[in-house]
Amino acid sequence: MDKATPKEFVSYDPQTQNVNDFGDSYPVMDENIKIADENKIQLFAKANTVKPDGSTFACVYDKFPILRIYSNTGVLKKEIRLANNQRFPFALIKQEPSLDDVNEMMQDYRMIKATNRFIYALYIGQKNKDISPGLNDFSNIIHVWDWDGNPVMELRLDEKIFTFDVAPDDAFLICSSLEKLDGIYKYVLPL
């Protein structure tokens, strides 16, 4: 989407070519902070995944430690927030953010994958000032939930990765790195 709508998603019907608002409203972060519509798309940038059976989908947010689980009809089933004590990313809503505002922004989730049993998301959990500049391997932490939003585990890999995929039977992860392009990593999952 290139413009904010009252709902977080849009639906598209290829037969009728109708585009409609879909899903729930954007997450409420702080009742005292007013967010202009034009800031919502960047502020609530997210990664999405669909449960392979097609019954639900989930999203995690880049600037907030939130997982949202939706039915395939767009009904919000569960919202889970990780308490990481981050401050609101004011740099994304100010006309002229300070360097401190930019440096203090927290990077949360980047990648999300799913099987019929679990949701997996690559978690950074660091402020901009603590992250190497440029496009690089994000983290070695993957959070895992079931489709009811219950936390299952936190995986701590021995290498930082850029992205990953998970076997359909939850047996292992395949991970890749931007910093070590000559190989991939395989991690057997203890599930």
Side-chain angles (χ1 to χ4, degrees), residues 12-130:
Y12 173 71
D13 184 334
Q15 293 176 337
T16 64
Q17 297 188 0
N18 287 336
V19 176
N20 296 300
D21 290 346
F22 185 77
D24 204 345
S25 300
Y26 289 87
V28 175
M29 302 315 300
D30 184 327
E31 295 289 340
N32 299 319
I33 299 173
K34 301 301 179 207
I35 303 168
D37 286 345
E38 62 267 14
N39 293 330
K40 288 181 180 175
I41 294 171
Q42 182 179 1
L43 189 63
F44 293 105
K46 62 187 134 314
N48 304 298
T49 191
V50 177
K51 188 174 182 181
D53 70 8
S55 63
T56 45
F57 67 96
C59 62
V60 289
Y61 296 80
D62 180 27
K63 299 298 184 285
F64 299 103
I66 300 173
L67 164 72
R68 283 182 139 191
I69 302 170
Y70 289 87
S71 71
N72 61 6
T73 59
V75 174
L76 180 62
K77 295 173 62 175
K78 187 84 173 207
E79 180 177 293
I80 298 91
R81 296 182 183 215
L82 177 67
N84 67 357
N85 298 314
Q86 75 180 58
R87 75 180 209 185
F88 188 88
F90 289 105
L92 295 177
I93 63 171
K94 288 183 176 179
Q95 290 288 61
E96 295 183 31
S98 69
L99 182 57
D100 185 55
D101 287 332
V102 173
N103 284 337
E104 289 298 314
M105 278 196 324
M106 184 78 83
Q107 300 294 315
D108 290 297
Y109 293 104
R110 282 291 158 79
M111 305 292 167
I112 186 171
K113 302 293 181 178
T115 65
N116 277 319
R117 291 179 61 203
F118 302 116
I119 302 164
Y120 300 78
L122 183 61
Y123 178 69
I124 299 171
Q126 294 184 44
K127 295 177 181 179
N128 281 345
K129 67 182 179 184
D130 300 323

Side-chain angles (χ1 to χ4, degrees), residues 124-187:
I124 299 171
Q126 294 184 44
K127 295 177 181 179
N128 281 345
K129 67 182 179 184
D130 300 323
I131 298 173
S132 300
L135 195 57
N136 51 38
D137 293 342
F138 297 122
S139 176
N140 67 331
I141 301 170
I142 296 177
H143 290 167
V144 183
W145 302 267
D146 66 20
W147 279 97
D148 292 322
N150 299 309
V152 173
M153 70 174 51
E154 178 180 274
L155 299 169
R156 290 198 176 252
L157 310 176
D158 61 349
E159 299 281 346
K160 284 187 172 184
I161 62 170
F162 177 72
T163 192
F164 70 97
D165 208 345
V166 60
D169 64 356
D170 300 287
F172 59 87
L173 296 175
I174 296 293
C175 307
S176 65
S177 165
L178 285 180
E179 296 170 15
K180 298 176 184 173
L181 297 175
D182 59 346
I184 59 174
Y185 307 113
K186 180 178 178 181
Y187 294 96

